[in-house]
Amino acid sequence: MKKNLKSYILHLTYKKGFTLVELLLVMAVLGVLATALITLINPLAQFQRTRDSQRKNDLAQLRRALEQYYNDFNSYPANSTDSNYYILDATHAWGTPWTPYMDLIPKDPVTTQKYRFVSTGQSYMIYAHLERGINDSQVCNGGAVCSGVPAGVTCGGAADVCNYGVSSSNASP
């Protein structure tokens, strides 16, 4: 009887854990589920969507500030003559204060991309590059460059065409 009890106790102690095969199987299932979840969420597209939303918001704020400027001076500021297309001049560059109209003139959330401002004094256009391109219903010309962008101007690198714009009410981007 003692021998049977001892073998029974040993039998119970060896049955308490999971086998290596069971652990590997659970890890494989979790890996498949994690891959499917990451594919479903698509974090890159989420980051692009967030940055594109910020660009649209920035350009809408600029539009309001420019309308206030127009009310004060009966014209829009002329764009600078250098290749950065600043608002006013190099002293009012992207990311600097423009008192009293804005605390900071917004700049593109991606350091390699830039907003572009084009003005005649009586009308203006502001351009940006939306990363989601044709996946965004508000892009110009199906994701191609907007029609009012000056020749040779991009919103960053060569591939970063200015495919989104806002403008004064008497112009179209």
Side-chain angles (χ1 to χ4, degrees), residues 83-99:
S83 62
N84 286 310
Y85 287 85
Y86 293 123
I87 292 178
L88 294 178
D89 52 40
T91 62
H92 291 90
W94 305 105
T96 62
W98 186 25
T99 314

Side-chain angles (χ1 to χ4, degrees), residues 17-37:
F18 295 104
T19 66
L20 182 59
V21 172
E22 290 171 329
L23 289 174
L24 289 174
L25 183 64
V26 168
M27 288 173 43
V29 169
L30 288 176
V32 168
L33 289 174
T35 302
L37 183 63

Side-chain angles (χ1 to χ4, degrees), residues 8-157:
Y8 179 72
I9 291 172
L10 285 174
H11 179 70
L12 286 178
T13 58
Y14 288 118
K15 287 288 192 181
K16 286 187 176 180
F18 295 104
T19 66
L20 182 59
V21 172
E22 290 171 329
L23 289 174
L24 289 174
L25 183 64
V26 168
M27 288 173 43
V29 169
L30 288 176
V32 168
L33 289 174
T35 302
L37 183 63
I38 288 173
T39 303
L40 181 67
I41 292 174
N42 192 354
L44 177 62
Q46 296 296 331
F47 286 128
Q48 289 175 335
R49 185 177 287 121
T50 300
R51 288 189 299 263
D52 284 351
S53 178
Q54 181 180 348
R55 289 179 182 102
K56 291 175 184 181
N57 185 42
D58 287 349
L59 269 54
Q61 289 178 4
L62 278 168
R63 176 187 278 165
R64 287 188 292 276
L66 287 165
E67 294 306 324
Q68 290 175 346
Y69 183 94
Y70 186 86
N71 287 337
D72 291 346
F73 297 101
N74 205 29
S75 72
Y76 297 108
N79 56 275
S80 68
T81 55
D82 77 1
S83 62
N84 286 310
Y85 287 85
Y86 293 123
I87 292 178
L88 294 178
D89 52 40
T91 62
H92 291 90
W94 305 105
T96 62
W98 186 25
T99 314
Y101 304 103
M102 300 185 89
D103 290 336
L104 286 177
I105 300 171
K107 61 181 181 179
D108 197 283
V110 175
T111 56
T112 59
Q113 293 180 196
K114 299 178 180 181
Y115 296 143
R116 302 299 188 171
F117 174 73
V118 179
S119 173
T120 64
Q122 292 305 304
S123 64
Y124 69 86
M125 287 139 309
I126 312 168
Y127 299 103
H129 172 74
L130 297 185
E131 295 175 71
R132 293 183 57 240
I134 61 172
N135 295 323
D136 192 304
S137 62
Q138 295 177 322
V139 293
C140 300
N141 304 322
V145 64
C146 295
S147 56
V149 177
V153 171
T154 66
C155 287

